[in-house]
Amino acid sequence: MARAMIYFRIFTILLATSFMAVVFYGDLTTVTALLAGLCGGFVAVVAAQNDAAVKFKTLEKRLQQLETKLAQNTK
C-alpha cells in the first residue's frame, strides 16, 4: 500500500507540472501529447515493478518448497 501512495504522489506531481506547462506555454496539443507520454511511461514502470514482484514471490515460494523437501530428505 505504501508503494501505491508513492506512485500516486509522483503521478500528482507530473500532472501538476503538465498543467503548469499549459499555463506557461499555452499550446494544449503539445502539452497533451507530453502528458500522454508521461502517463504511458508511468503505467509501464508500475506494470514492470508489479511483474517483478510477482516473479520474486513465486521464487520465494519455490525456495521454501525446496527447503522443505531438503529437510524431509535429510531426516
Side-chain angles (χ1 to χ4, degrees), residues 22-70:
V22 169
V23 170
F24 288 126
Y25 295 108
D27 185 11
L28 186 59
T29 306
T30 303
V31 176
T32 304
L34 175 65
L35 181 62
L38 290 174
C39 290
F42 177 76
V43 169
V45 168
V46 171
Q49 286 188 345
N50 287 342
D51 185 45
V54 168
K55 287 182 181 179
F56 185 69
K57 286 180 183 179
T58 304
L59 183 62
E60 283 181 330
K61 286 180 184 178
R62 180 66 179 143
L63 183 60
Q64 287 177 351
Q65 289 173 352
L66 290 173
E67 286 176 345
T68 303
K69 191 174 182 180
L70 181 63

